[in-house]
Amino acid sequence: MAFKLKARRLRCSFCGKKDSEVSKLLGGPKVHICDACVRVCNKILEATPSTFSGWDAMTDDQLLRSLGPAVATVEATRAVLQTQIDTLRKRGISWNAIGGVLGMSRQAAWERFS
Ligand SMILES: [Zn+2]
């Protein structure tokens, strides 16, 4: 069931978009997913066999068709990570602190996310 709440700003738990930035936002217990992320999930499900028995069991075509949705998932996750880091930076959190929790140097964190 799709719904939108006006009182609180809801976000897609997968891509981080606000309810105002997506056409539909589906809710579950402590989690929300937007229509675009549902489409990505559906593509992944379509591209992969219903019972997963390892990448080696997939045909070349199945494996090739799974690459696009996999990249879309990585990109969506990367966008969420960038939004989180941008928010931390706006709050004045140092690159040193961000790099620290990511297991990288201040310089590496800055080069990757600034
Ligand atoms: Zn989403």
Side-chain angles (χ1 to χ4, degrees), residues 12 15 34 37:
C12 174
C15 70
C34 75
C37 288

Side-chain angles (χ1 to χ4, degrees), residues 33-68:
I33 187 167
C34 75
D35 54 311
C37 288
V38 167
R39 277 196 292 276
V40 169
C41 293
N42 283 336
K43 280 185 191 162
I44 292 169
L45 292 175
E46 283 164 21
T48 52
S50 52
T51 40
F52 186 72
S53 39
W55 301 114
D56 286 337
M58 291 172 71
T59 66
D60 293 349
D61 189 51
Q62 285 173 325
L63 208 43
L64 282 168
R65 277 187 290 125
S66 72
L67 294 184

Side-chain angles (χ1 to χ4, degrees), residues 6 9 12 19 37 45 56-59 63 65 70-71 73 75 79 81-82 84 87-88 94 98 101 104 106:
K6 298 285 182 224
R9 269 280 85 110
C12 174
D19 56 353
C37 288
L45 292 175
D56 286 337
M58 291 172 71
T59 66
L63 208 43
R65 277 187 290 125
V71 168
T73 307
E75 291 304 320
L81 177 61
Q82 187 66 56
Q84 291 170 322
T87 303
L88 286 166
S94 71
I98 292 167
V101 295
M104 58 176 68
R106 180 199 66 80

Side-chain angles (χ1 to χ4, degrees), residues 18-37:
K18 287 183 269 195
D19 56 353
S20 57
E21 296 171 324
V22 301
S23 43
K24 288 198 175 88
L25 195 63
L26 308 169
K30 295 183 181 174
V31 68
H32 297 90
I33 187 167
C34 75
D35 54 311
C37 288

